[in-house]
Amino acid sequence: MDPLSSLLSGIRAEGSVVSHAVLTAPWSIRFTDGAPLTMVSVLRGGGTLLLSDGTERAVSVGDTAIVRGPAPFRLVDGPTTLDRPHTEYEIACFPPDAECTAQELGGIRWGTDPDGATALIVGAYRASGHRHERLLRALPSVLVINEDVEVCAWLETAAADAARLPAGSQALMDRLLDWALVCTLRNWFDEAGADAPSWYRGLADPVLAPALQAFHGRPAEPWTVASLAHQAGVSRALFAKRFTELMGRPPLAYLTECRMADAEALLTDTDLSIAQIAKSVGYADAFGFSAAFKRHKGQSPSRFRAAAA
């Protein structure tokens, strides 16, 4: 499993709020779910994202925006219309006491006018555990990618089909939004270039990619610089030099960083013993793992688990 796939494994559109909105101005949508990620694809028309930190970002036809949570935010037809009478919608179905459910909104078209000037696909993503947090730290508060107009037309058709066929519509839209999230993030990381996280840049390097895929696919193995260089098909010295230049730290420092991140997630999200976690992240015994974890986090695995609980 590559790093992006691993980090996305904890975040899904499974049972999430999935809506197809067709709107006529003036309107506003308030997002209050506190979702880790919310995606808005503009199929027709456009609007302005208003984030809680004061950020304003215009989006237009073909744009897909991903907003990092959990702070609430708004999408409006225009910032100036908020002071005037307008139709206001709210997505807040994740809290336990919410009156609506994802199933009620899934695949349903909502809005004031079926021929409205603005059409959107909106999806809020749930998270299971803490593995995705490393991905969120690599993202800005909002990112926008422009898609081909044909993609937008296909997405709107798929949403309309889901609305007409209730059986399986939620699952269809969930899978569609999972696909769209991965594509949007990959496109954004590709465009970010040198500003993309090192674990993503390494996947594009012909030397480092095989080694990174091997490590992330089998993290429990006792990897060394020599064994990683063998996966890359180059000498140990060349691999270490290239890895450090591109990734910003030596190979073993990167391996330790990833193993500690995985260990944090396992300590927080599972009931596995310290010995079991040690083995799953590549340590021969609990003692060596505990010593490494304490050097990295400043506290023992047991204390970290207790504090997280």
Side-chain angles (χ1 to χ4, degrees):
M1 183 180 293
D2 63 85
L4 181 58
S5 297
S6 176
L7 296 177
L8 281 169
S9 64
I11 190 163
R12 284 286 186 270
E14 189 75 39
S16 294
V17 177
V18 182
S19 301
H20 180 197
V22 184
L23 308 168
T24 298
W27 52 265
S28 70
I29 306 171
R30 180 172 172 81
F31 297 82
T32 60
D33 271 317
L37 291 175
T38 302
M39 188 175 69
V40 179
S41 292
V42 183
L43 309 178
R44 288 184 276 119
T48 301
L49 288 163
L50 305 177
L51 275 58
S52 59
D53 62 3
T55 299
E56 294 188 12
R57 185 68 182 269
V59 289
S60 58
V61 60
D63 285 342
T64 292
I66 295 178
V67 182
R68 191 186 67 206
F73 66 96
R74 289 178 182 268
L75 176 65
V76 300
D77 64 292
T80 59
T81 63
L82 286 177
D83 297 328
R84 304 200 303 267
H86 64 277
T87 304
E88 185 167 8
Y89 305 94
E90 182 170 292
I91 291 182
C93 295
F94 286 172
D97 58 349
E99 295 181 359
C100 58
T101 67
Q103 184 60 42
E104 289 170 346
L105 284 179
I108 293 178
R109 174 177 292 196
W110 50 278
T112 57
D113 184 354
D115 298 317
T118 296
L120 312 166
I121 293 290
V122 178
Y125 293 80
R126 291 182 184 272
S128 60
H130 295 75
R131 188 177 297 275
H132 69 286
E133 291 175 355
R134 188 178 175 206
L135 171 64
L136 298 188
R137 290 194 292 269
L139 301 179
S141 56
V142 58
L143 63 90
V144 178
I145 290 292
N146 188 264
E147 305 286 358
D148 188 274
V149 175
E150 292 182 0
V151 174
C152 294
W154 175 82
L155 190 60
E156 184 166 20
T157 299
D161 287 344
R164 286 194 297 267
L165 301 171
S169 61
Q170 180 76 59
L172 174 61
M173 290 303 296
D174 284 349
R175 300 294 80 75
L176 186 64
L177 288 184
D178 282 339
W179 169 83
L181 177 64
V182 174
C183 290
T184 300
L185 289 177
R186 287 201 312 186
N187 288 342
W188 186 79
F189 283 138
D190 287 341
E191 292 185 5
D195 293 328
S198 58
W199 49 261
Y200 188 85
R201 296 198 308 272
L203 293 173
D205 184 82
V207 172
L208 301 189
L212 286 172
Q213 290 169 353
F215 165 66
H216 285 282
R218 306 188 300 278
E221 290 192 17
W223 294 105
T224 63
V225 177
S227 61
L228 290 171
H230 177 73
Q231 293 290 327
V234 297
S235 70
R236 182 181 183 279
L238 175 59
F239 177 80
K241 181 175 184 294
R242 191 178 186 93
F243 193 102
T244 303
E245 289 175 349
L246 186 60
M247 304 290 282
R249 65 279 226 187
L252 294 185
Y254 175 82
L255 263 61
T256 299
E257 177 185 311
C258 292
R259 283 169 166 159
M260 293 301 104
D262 287 344
E264 289 178 27
L266 291 171
L267 286 166
T268 305
D269 303 332
T270 74
D271 294 325
L272 294 175
S273 68
I274 303 300
Q276 289 172 317
I277 292 174
K279 186 175 181 180
S280 69
V281 298
Y283 286 84
D285 54 63
F287 179 79
F289 164 68
S290 296
F293 191 89
K294 189 170 184 178
R295 285 195 302 271
H296 183 77
K297 294 296 295 183
Q299 55 185 327
S300 69
S302 299
R303 189 176 294 275
F304 175 87
R305 170 173 271 173

